[in-house]
Amino acid sequence: MKQTILAVFTAIILFTSCDLLQRNEAPVVVEPKMLNSADSMSYVMGLNLGLNLIAADSMLNTEMVCMGIRDVYAQSHKLTDEEARNAFLKYMNWDNYERVKAYETQFLEDLRKADRKFVATTSGLTYKVRELGDMKSVARSTRDTIEVCYRVLNSAGEVVDTTYYNSDTLRLALGDMTRGAQEATRLIGKGGHIEAWLPSTLAFGSAGCDSLDVKPNTMLYYEIRLLEVIPRNRRY
């Protein structure tokens, strides 16, 4: 009897929804009410889930997310484990990469249009030389030691890393920098100053950087002042 009532009720909902769609009318969404502590806790869990999902990927389809949750409770999955795995891998390894690449390409293209002093290399590095420096003293080998002042920002303008807060400098091998930062540093000599936007593939890529709280596929802005270049074959 209960199944019959449920079937009739479902049919009524489907019929009403289809009728509204034919008349181009939006269905009326009735929000559930929090009647007890279990309802409140359920809502809190939904908030936490939503925040985590936005942090992971703001492009997710919330209707599909809700469908997936309902299917788990109903024990009726629309994808097999293998299909789910393949869908996840395709999204993360291809679809997501394509979206990130398209966003970065458009962002950097708009940047170069807004400021003609920015130019791009074949790798995708987009940079502007503020001061060229002494081009007789340039870091060439990844084993060369350099001394720099720098700051790193994400595309939202948030500081990722910097030496400026403590008026400090950093001495390291050129090869210890990200690939894009190495390329930017090679473009200036001792005393030079450069600004550079690194597409995610030239920064920390799909791995991100936990120690700097850089998420995977994050484009970064570097400002670098090259204070010293010590060739690896220099002897004291």
Side-chain angles (χ1 to χ4, degrees):
M1 181 65 178
K2 289 182 178 179
Q3 292 179 343
T4 302
I5 294 174
L6 179 60
V8 172
F9 180 68
T10 303
I12 292 173
I13 292 177
L14 291 173
F15 177 79
T16 304
S17 300
C18 291
D19 183 57
L20 288 171
L21 289 173
Q22 289 174 355
R23 289 183 288 155
N24 295 322
E25 295 181 16
V28 177
V29 178
V30 179
E31 292 188 356
K33 296 181 180 180
M34 286 179 275
L35 301 177
N36 51 49
S37 60
D39 291 344
S40 299
M41 181 59 184
S42 298
Y43 181 70
V44 171
M45 291 293 288
L47 289 177
N48 288 331
L49 178 61
L51 291 171
N52 289 330
L53 289 174
I54 288 176
D57 190 339
S58 61
M59 298 295 291
L60 293 176
N61 184 331
T62 55
E63 294 300 324
M64 291 296 103
V65 171
C66 292
M67 180 186 291
I69 294 173
R70 287 194 296 268
D71 285 354
V72 167
Y73 278 87
Q75 297 183 358
S76 176
H77 300 182
K78 293 179 175 59
L79 297 176
T80 65
D81 290 346
E82 183 65 20
E83 289 172 336
R85 178 177 179 277
N86 291 338
F88 176 81
L89 292 176
K90 178 180 181 296
Y91 180 85
M92 295 303 296
N93 295 334
W94 177 253
D95 296 352
N96 196 41
Y97 169 75
E98 288 298 306
R99 282 193 299 275
V100 169
K101 183 179 179 181
Y103 166 77
E104 293 178 346
T105 299
Q106 188 62 56
F107 179 95
L108 295 175
E109 182 180 328
D110 292 343
L111 175 67
R112 292 192 297 272
K113 288 179 179 178
D115 187 343
R116 296 292 182 179
K117 292 183 179 179
F118 275 100
V119 295
T121 67
T122 55
S123 69
L125 179 77
T126 298
Y127 71 94
K128 174 171 66 175
V129 174
R130 299 286 295 273
E131 189 172 349
L132 192 57
D134 181 4
M135 296 307 291
K136 294 180 180 179
S137 181
V138 178
R140 303 187 188 281
S141 168
T142 56
R143 295 171 61 187
D144 287 349
T145 298
I146 59 173
E147 186 174 346
V148 295
C149 284
Y150 69 93
R151 63 174 180 151
V152 184
L153 311 176
N154 58 28
S155 57
E158 300 166 332
V159 177
V160 172
D161 192 18
T162 182
T163 62
Y164 290 153
Y165 288 154
N166 299 320
S167 299
D168 200 3
T169 62
L170 179 67
R171 179 170 289 196
L172 74 166
L174 180 68
D176 291 337
M177 305 178 81
T178 60
R179 190 157 63 95
Q182 290 181 43
E183 183 180 353
T185 303
R186 285 190 172 104
L187 295 172
I188 55 175
K190 177 181 175 180
H193 180 194
I194 192 170
E195 298 179 38
W197 281 95
L198 280 58
S200 56
T201 53
L202 297 181
F204 294 102
S206 59
C209 180
D210 291 339
S211 62
L212 296 178
D213 196 27
V214 176
K215 296 179 181 179
N217 302 314
T218 298
M219 180 169 54
L220 295 175
Y221 164 89
Y222 276 68
E223 180 184 1
I224 301 171
R225 294 178 183 271
L226 182 58
L227 306 178
E228 183 63 83
V229 178
I230 306 172
R232 62 186 178 89
N233 58 356
R234 179 187 295 180
R235 295 186 178 182
Y236 295 92

